[in-house]
């Protein structure tokens, strides 16, 4: 699915139903480029894009948005949802006004996010959880009501040279459990796979990057 002439404003896909994603990629391989994808349902359900069931997806020069409401905190759907062992490369795109997280990466998905702008999210800009691994490089993340990047204790990420500003929480938050409470032997492996270098934060409520940041 590729738009016209490299101008993502020329092809706009809009979805008005509340409980469905605008585009669902399921057990498929495809490229999505040069288009705008909007979810405009009346309730807080439905993603702009869902990549599931081991899909292999390349995204470039796209814009994703579902209008954020001031009453929607912790209710509703993320703009870009990547899960079920899918593999996604997303570059040069914009995620704006998400009703939940900007990009959700879970269920052992593998994702690279590079040169994107993620802004105005009701929760965190990027959330990685449930065995997923993400490479997050050279992105601009701002105006999030939670954290810029949130990494769960059962996931991992490599974060390089991201610019994070105007977030209510921490620029980079890496969750951890009390060692006495850890039942999953794989959790130390996730921590060893998590790296953070040369990320820059400004105008954040909590300016301290998490302990793994250099």
């Amino acid at each position: 699915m590729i738009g016209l002439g490299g101008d993502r404003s020329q092809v706009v896909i809009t979805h008005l139903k509340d409980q469905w994603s605008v585009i669902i990629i399921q057990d498929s391989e495809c490229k999505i480029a040069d288009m705008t994808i909007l979810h405009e349902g009346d309730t807080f359900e439905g993603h702009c894009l869902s990549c599931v069931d081991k899909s292999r997806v390349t995204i470039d020069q796209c814009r994703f948005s579902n209008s954020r409401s001031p009453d929607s905190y912790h209710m509703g759907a993320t703009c870009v949802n990547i899960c079920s062992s899918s593999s996604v490369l997303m570059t040069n795109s914009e995620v704006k006004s998400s009703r939940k997280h900007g990009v959700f990466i879970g269920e052992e998905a593998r994702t690279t996010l590079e040169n994107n702008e993620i802004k105005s999210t009701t929760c965190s800009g990027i959330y990685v959880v449930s065995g997923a691994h993400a490479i997050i490089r050279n992105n601009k993340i701002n105006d999030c009501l939670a954290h810029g990047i949130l990494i769960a204790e059962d996931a991992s990420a490599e974060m390089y040279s991201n610019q994070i500003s105007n977030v209510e929480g921490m620029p980079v938050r890496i969750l951890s459990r009390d060692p006495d409470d850890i039942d999953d032997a794989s959790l130390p492996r996730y921590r060893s796979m998590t790296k953070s270098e040369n990320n820059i934060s400004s105008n954040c409520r909590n300016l301290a990057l998490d302990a793994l940041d250099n």
Side-chain angles (χ1 to χ4, degrees):
M1 295 182 288
I2 300 177
L4 302 173
D7 183 356
R8 62 191 177 199
S9 67
Q10 295 299 309
V11 176
V12 180
I13 302 175
T14 302
H15 188 58
L16 298 177
K17 290 187 178 293
D18 299 332
Q19 298 181 349
W20 297 96
S21 297
V22 182
I23 297 175
I24 301 175
I25 309 299
Q26 185 173 14
D27 190 21
S28 300
E29 183 172 356
C30 73
K31 180 176 182 178
I32 302 172
D34 303 325
M35 62 179 59
T36 294
I37 302 170
L38 307 176
H39 193 290
E40 297 184 346
D42 292 331
T43 63
F44 307 118
E45 298 181 35
H47 308 284
C48 294
L49 172 66
S50 290
C51 303
V52 300
D53 295 342
K54 299 182 180 180
S55 292
R56 299 159 301 283
V57 182
T58 299
I59 304 164
D60 186 56
Q61 293 285 357
C62 288
R63 177 176 178 262
F64 303 92
S65 180
N66 55 13
S67 299
R68 188 179 77 182
S69 165
D71 299 323
S72 66
Y73 190 72
H74 287 309
M75 297 176 60
T78 290
C79 271
V80 179
N81 180 57
I82 304 166
C83 58
S84 307
S85 300
S86 294
S87 178
V88 174
L89 169 63
M90 177 173 164
T91 56
N92 307 310
S93 295
E94 179 185 78
V95 175
K96 181 181 179 181
S97 299
S98 178
R99 290 173 175 155
K100 202 166 187 180
H101 306 291
V103 180
F104 174 91
I105 306 165
E107 298 176 4
E108 300 185 354
R110 298 293 181 264
T111 300
T112 297
L113 303 174
E114 188 166 4
N115 297 324
N116 302 291
E117 184 172 9
I118 301 170
K119 58 185 178 181
S120 301
T121 65
T122 300
C123 295
S124 295
I126 300 168
Y127 182 30
V128 187
V129 67
S130 300
H133 181 76
I135 299 174
I136 304 169
R137 182 186 294 117
N138 293 329
N139 300 282
K140 295 181 179 179
I141 304 168
N142 54 73
D143 298 318
C144 303
L145 295 186
H147 306 292
I149 302 171
L150 177 61
I151 311 299
E153 63 272 13
D154 60 351
S156 59
E158 300 172 56
M159 299 162 282
Y160 306 115
S161 303
N162 298 287
Q163 299 180 36
I164 305 169
S165 62
N166 299 315
V167 301
E168 292 293 313
M170 299 179 70
V172 176
R173 180 74 176 101
I174 303 169
L175 300 179
S176 61
R177 294 180 182 173
D178 188 311
D180 294 334
D181 295 334
I182 293 178
D183 297 322
D184 187 345
S186 66
L187 292 180
R189 176 175 62 87
Y190 291 124
R191 289 286 69 80
S192 68
M193 294 170 61
T194 296
K195 303 176 183 179
S196 183
E197 299 177 0
N198 301 319
N199 297 292
I200 300 173
S201 65
S202 62
N203 298 322
C204 300
R205 177 164 293 186
N206 188 340
L207 285 176
L209 295 174
D210 214 321
L212 283 177
D213 201 78
N214 295 329

